Structure formats: structure tokens, C-alpha cells
């Protein structure tokens, strides 16, 4: 494949945008080479500026669960745009999507919309602190909750990829209130809670981790966290920015049957427009301004285009059997990849839940950040570039999950498996 135009565009971009990108992992730093510049996308395919076509497994890092340029979503945006793109005043569509979201997600009565997953998690933690009157939070190594200060302590994916888990610019004062725990290690969490008795406002977690590859919780882990939080008056925050409306209508709460106190959303909920949200029971949500003292606001929050796109997306997810269909496709892909890598004698692990899947080039099970970090990055680089050259688009980092869309056909999956069979010889 030729990447002439992408290379030229990247050179131009680097002059005016740091690293040529508006979000670091796009820059291919972890895998080397020049990022492809995207021209357009439709369904299961994405096209770059040189005219190359790729089968999509990034899907904008999750939102495009029904495929790119999905007609009902696009139509909803176009119709809304004709009537004005922002008013900074309430609109009916905000209530409609709020009603639908709250009806799909277990255990929540109210929701507030923001503009990104980062904002959702940042606001959820402020709300938890305001509600409990306590300062400290627990997060897990390798979990990513957006780029706000409190979370940039051993955050996954982008931050890890660049080997700067603790970003300069985050003050010690902020960092000291974030306590770090090991994913899938209940005893570790218990210890931390006992050492900080009475000081912890909330525990925030990706209930299925997706930013250190895909790492599902081991049996009893989430239930154990729920019990610990109840026993110590700590709010349990599920960051479902990645898993919400992807793993089930009601996200991980529904799929694994564990209730959180506050749930964060992003990605799918915006249908591909910049949207985040956080939801909880009424008594917690009413602590927010204007009904309560915890301040949170946004000029473009609840933007009509974004709400129309999100509503069209959720309506569709609420109807069909798409989650089963996605599960079946992902399972098919998983089996196919396992078969060809095993036959080629490549040491690897694969994790999967619902439509999230990841391939790790290591020999031990990947259960937490430390085990994910043991993957062979040279193998991953070859794997990534081999796939790209075969017209298959996965995330340019070993710490990212693949996100399937329901637009993928079994023929696309077979092509992917075939490509991996060929690449395996070079690993
Ligand atoms: C992507 C992501 C975020 C951040 O969302 P942005 O919209 O990129 O700010 C937060 N939490 C999780 C689990 C994510 O995957």
C-alpha cells in the first residue's frame, strides 16, 4: 500500500498541531510509521487519503457499534442541523435521550450529559466527593478514566503506551488523593481501604477493563468490590464509557449483575458525536447544581446534534438483537485467530467479552496491568503493520481493545483470520 498523501498530510499537521494529532495514540508512536489520514468511512470499512480501504476494528475507539455513517444516525444529525446547531438552552431531545438511557440502564434514575468520557468521570468523582464529604479515591493500575488530573496515575492505553504513566503537570497534592489498586485483586483493595478508613469517597473502575487490552473481571471481583464499598460507605463508580451500550443494553451492570452507585458513559452514547454522561440514583444526582451544591456545567452539554445522534443510536440498540449478533461475530473471530496463531506456534493470549477482544503476545494469562505489560511489543508491531498492509485496521497499541461493529460480515472476519494466518509466519 502507498501512504503518500497520508505522509504529506502528517508532515503538514505536525507544523501546527503537537505531534500532528489531537489525541496522542493516533500518532503511531508505539508501533512506528506514519499514521493514516482518514478520508471517509462506511459500514465496516474505512478509507484513507491514499484511497486504501481497511476493515475496521477501531470504530472510533468504540462509538461506531453499528458501523460507520449509519443511516438513521446521519439522518437525525442532518435534520437537527438544519434547525440550528446550538442554543445553550434546554431542548426536548435532551429529555428524550435521558428517558431512554435511564430505561435501558439498571439501577439509575437520572442522568446528566457532558461532552466527553473524561468530563463524565471527572464530574462523577466530584459528585461522589460532594455526596460523601470525603476526599480520597481508589483507581486501578491500567484503567483509563480520561485525562483529568486525578486519573493520570498509572492510566492505561495512551498514557502507558508512551511510558509516562504520571504526567508532568499533575500536582503532588492531586496525586496523593488517588490510591492505586491492582485490577482483579480484592485483597489488595481491602488493604487499601483499611489503611485509609473513613477517608475514601469512591472507587472508580472499568468493570470490564478495556484500556490495557480487554480484561474481564475474575469471578467474584466486582461482587467483592460492591460488598467492600457497602461496608465502608464508599461509592462504587463504574466507568462504562467503553462498555456502556456495547456489552449489553444496560452495560456491565446488566451483563454481570452487579450494581454501581454512579455510572459513566461516553463513546456509544453519542453515536459518534462528542458526548459523555453520568447517571445514578435520584438521591445522589440531586446533589448536583442547580438542585444541589456540587457544581457541574457545560456550554455545549446536551448539544442538539449530539443528542439527536445519541438518541438515534440508542433507539436502534434498544430494539434489535444486536448484542447477540455482535457476541457471535466476536466469538467467531476469536476462535479463528486462536486457531491460526496456535497452529503457527505463536505464544499468545486472547481475552474477550461481548464485542471486545484483544490479542496479547505473552505466555501467561492477562489479568491485570502487570501481566498485560509483559506482552512482546516487537511481535505486536509486526502484527499491527502486517494487518494494516493487508487492509485491516486495529488500534496502534498493544494496550488497546479491538471493537467490533455489527456492520462486519462473516466474510470480513474470514479475511481478517486469513491475513493473520499469513502474518503469523513473520512473527
Ligand atoms: C475513552 C474512555 C474515557 C475517556 O473518554 P473521552 O471521551 O476520550 O474523554 C474514559 N473512560 C474509559 C473507560 C474510556 O474508554
Amino acid at each position: 500500500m502507498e501512504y503518500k498523501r497520508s505522509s504529506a498530510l502528517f508532515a503538514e499537521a505536525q507544523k501546527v498541531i503537537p505531534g500532528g494529532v489531537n489525541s496522542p495514540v493516533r500518532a503511531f508512536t508505539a508501533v512506528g510509521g506514519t499514521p493514516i489520514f482518514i478520508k471517509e468511512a462506511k459500514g465496516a470499512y474505512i478509507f484513507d487519503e491514499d484511497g486504501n480501504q481497511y476493515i475496521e476494528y477501531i470504530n472510533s475507539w468504540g462509538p461506531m457499534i453499528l458501523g460507520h455513517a449509519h443511516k438513521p444516525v446521519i439522518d437525525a444529525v442532518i435534520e437537527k442541523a438544519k434547525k440550528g446547531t446550538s442554543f445553550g438552552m434546554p431542548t426536548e431531545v435532551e429529555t428524550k435521550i435521558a428517558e431512554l438511557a435511564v430505561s435501558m440502564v439498571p439501577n439509575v434514575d437520572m442522568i446528566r450529559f457532558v461532552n466527553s468520557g473524561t468530563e463524565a468521570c471527572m464530574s462523577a468523582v466530584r459528585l461522589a466527593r460532594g455526596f460523601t464529604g470525603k476526599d480520597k479515591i481508589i483507581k486501578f493500575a491500567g484503567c483509563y478514566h480520561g485525562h483529568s488530573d486525578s486519573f493520570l496515575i498509572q492510566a492505561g492505553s495512551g498514557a502507558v503506551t508512551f511510558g509516562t504513566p504520571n504526567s508532568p503537570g499533575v500536582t503532588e497534592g492531586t496525586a496523593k488523593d488517588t490510591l492505586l489498586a491492582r485490577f482483579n485483586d480484592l485483597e489488595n483493595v481491602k488493604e487499601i481501604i483499611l489503611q485509609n478508613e473513613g477517608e475514601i469517597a469512591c472507587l472508580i473502575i472499568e468493570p470490564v477493563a478495556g484500556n490495557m487490552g480487554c480484561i474481564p473481571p475474575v469471578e467474584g471481583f466486582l461482587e467483592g468490590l460492591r460488598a467492600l464499598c457497602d461496608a465502608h460507605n464508599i461509592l462504587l463508580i463504574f466507568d462504562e464509557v467503553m462498555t456502556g451500550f456495547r456489552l449489553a443494553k444496560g452495560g456491565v451492570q446488566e451483563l454481570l449483575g452487579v450494581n454501581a452507585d454512579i455510572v459513566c458513559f461516553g463513546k456509544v452514547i453519542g453515536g459518534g458525536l462528542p458526548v459523555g454522561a453520568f447517571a445514578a440514583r435520584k438521591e445522589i444526582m440531586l446533589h448536583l447544581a442547580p438542585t444541589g451544591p456540587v457544581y457541574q456545567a457545560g456550554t455545549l452539554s446536551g448539544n442538539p446534534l449530539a443528542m439527536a445522534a445519541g438518541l438515534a443510536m440508542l433507539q436502534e440498540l434498544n430494539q434489535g438483537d444486536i448484542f447477540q449478533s455482535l457476541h457471535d461475530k466476536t466469538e467467531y473471530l476469536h476462535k479463528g485467530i486462536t486457531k491460526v496463531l496456535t497452529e503457527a506456534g505463536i505464544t499468545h493470549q486472547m481475552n474477550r467479552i461481548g464485542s471486545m477482544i484483544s490479542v496479547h503476545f505473552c505466555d501467561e494469562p492477562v489479568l491485570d496491568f502487570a501481566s498485560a505489560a509483559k506482552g512482546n511489543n516487537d511481535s505486536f508491531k509486526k502484527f499491527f503493520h502486517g494487518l494494516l498492509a493487508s487492509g485491516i485496521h486495529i488500534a496502534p497499541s498493544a494496550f488497546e481493545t479491538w471493537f467490533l461493529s455489527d456492520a462486519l460480515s462473516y466474510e470480513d472476519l474470514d479475511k481478517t483470520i486469513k491475513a493473520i494466518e499469513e502474518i503469523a509466519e513473520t512473527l
Side-chain angles (χ1 to χ4, degrees):
M1 285 201 195
E2 291 233 351
Y3 304 112
K4 267 192 196 151
R5 216 175 127 65
S6 280
S7 298
L9 289 169
F10 188 47
E12 279 300 300
Q14 282 172 291
K15 292 179 196 159
V16 283
I17 302 172
V21 293
N22 280 310
S23 196
V25 79
R26 296 177 197 166
F28 275 27
T29 312
V31 290
T34 301
I36 52 169
F37 273 57
I38 305 305
K39 187 167 191 188
E40 58 187 304
K42 178 75 190 156
Y45 309 108
I46 195 156
F47 302 86
D48 71 15
E49 289 280 357
D50 290 281
N52 303 310
Q53 176 176 341
Y54 307 86
I55 300 172
E56 255 287 63
Y57 292 100
I58 301 184
N59 283 302
S60 186
W61 310 86
M64 319 317 300
I65 192 168
L66 300 173
H68 286 283
H70 189 63
K71 192 168 185 309
V73 176
I74 301 301
D75 287 350
V77 173
I78 291 171
E79 282 314 304
K80 268 287 178 237
K82 287 180 189 163
K83 296 176 179 158
T85 57
S86 180
F87 315 115
M89 292 301 281
T91 55
E92 185 179 6
V93 66
E94 294 166 77
T95 310
K96 281 200 172 146
I97 184 174
E99 284 169 350
L100 180 57
V102 163
S103 77
M104 290 170 80
V105 176
N107 192 41
V108 302
D109 304 315
M110 300 182 118
I111 187 165
R112 179 162 279 174
F113 287 92
V114 293
N115 306 290
S116 68
T118 296
E119 258 190 85
C121 296
M122 176 187 89
S123 308
V125 165
R126 184 183 306 138
L127 177 57
R129 284 172 163 155
F131 185 78
T132 60
K134 297 186 278 185
D135 288 347
K136 291 189 178 171
I137 68 171
I138 295 181
K139 86 169 278 285
F140 291 83
C143 281
Y144 182 65
H145 305 295
H147 66 91
S148 89
D149 288 2
S150 307
F151 302 129
L152 282 183
I153 323 288
Q154 289 211 11
S157 53
V160 169
T161 303
F162 299 102
T164 51
N166 300 289
S167 170
V170 176
T171 66
E172 272 176 38
T174 299
K176 80 170 175 22
D177 285 330
T178 302
L179 307 167
L180 257 191
R182 272 194 302 276
F183 197 81
N184 275 333
D185 186 345
L186 208 50
E187 277 309 308
N188 176 240
V189 178
K190 201 172 187 177
E191 239 169 69
I192 293 171
I193 291 176
L194 293 178
Q195 281 163 6
N196 297 273
E197 186 67 63
E199 296 183 83
I200 301 169
C202 62
L203 182 156
I204 185 166
I205 187 166
E206 293 178 66
V208 167
N211 284 290
M212 41 184 169
C214 167
I215 306 187
V218 295
E219 214 180 310
F221 180 57
L222 295 180
E223 291 83 353
L225 293 180
R226 179 69 270 175
L228 279 173
C229 285
D230 287 341
H232 296 272
N233 190 25
I234 295 168
L235 293 186
L236 178 59
I237 303 180
F238 275 5
D239 176 355
E240 296 223 42
V241 169
M242 198 179 268
T243 54
F245 307 101
R246 169 166 287 278
L247 295 186
K249 272 183 208 178
V252 176
Q253 285 196 102
E254 175 189 322
L255 187 72
L256 300 180
V258 179
N259 285 344
D261 295 305
I262 306 179
V263 191
C264 304
F265 298 103
K267 300 191 169 114
V268 174
I269 201 173
L273 270 78
V275 180
F278 56 107
R281 297 185 303 277
K282 193 170 170 181
E283 86 237 34
I284 299 176
M285 290 305 276
L286 289 179
H287 262 65
L288 282 176
T291 43
V294 177
Y295 195 69
Q296 189 281 321
T299 302
L300 290 173
S301 291
N303 171 269
L305 298 192
M307 296 295 97
L311 180 61
M313 176 66 94
L314 296 195
Q315 279 169 339
E316 201 140 337
L317 297 179
N318 197 31
Q319 285 166 11
D321 218 0
I322 169 189
F323 299 104
Q324 186 61 44
S325 162
L326 272 166
H327 169 276
D328 294 347
K329 287 177 184 175
T330 313
E331 182 176 62
Y332 182 86
L333 183 68
H334 183 176
K335 285 187 178 159
I337 297 176
T338 302
K339 183 162 180 285
V340 296
L341 287 181
T342 305
E343 280 172 6
I346 308 293
T347 302
H348 73 284
Q349 303 285 323
M350 282 186 78
N351 287 352
R352 166 174 64 92
I353 187 166
S355 53
M356 291 163 61
I357 192 167
S358 57
V359 184
H360 303 260
F361 295 104
C362 56
D363 52 11
E364 288 164 36
V366 174
L367 294 172
D368 58 10
F369 178 64
S371 45
K374 284 185 188 151
N376 182 330
N377 205 41
D378 284 335
S379 297
F380 182 81
K381 280 185 200 174
K382 284 186 204 155
F383 184 67
F384 170 82
H385 280 293
L387 283 174
L388 196 68
S390 312
I392 293 156
H393 192 221
I394 68 163
S397 160
F399 291 101
E400 303 287 355
T401 300
W402 304 27
F403 302 101
L404 272 69
S405 85
D406 203 41
L408 286 160
S409 67
Y410 281 89
E411 197 189 338
D412 296 325
L413 303 177
D414 283 335
K415 273 189 198 159
T416 306
I417 295 163
K418 183 90 188 90
I420 292 175
E421 188 174 10
E422 281 159 21
I423 294 159
E425 290 167 17
T426 69
L427 294 178

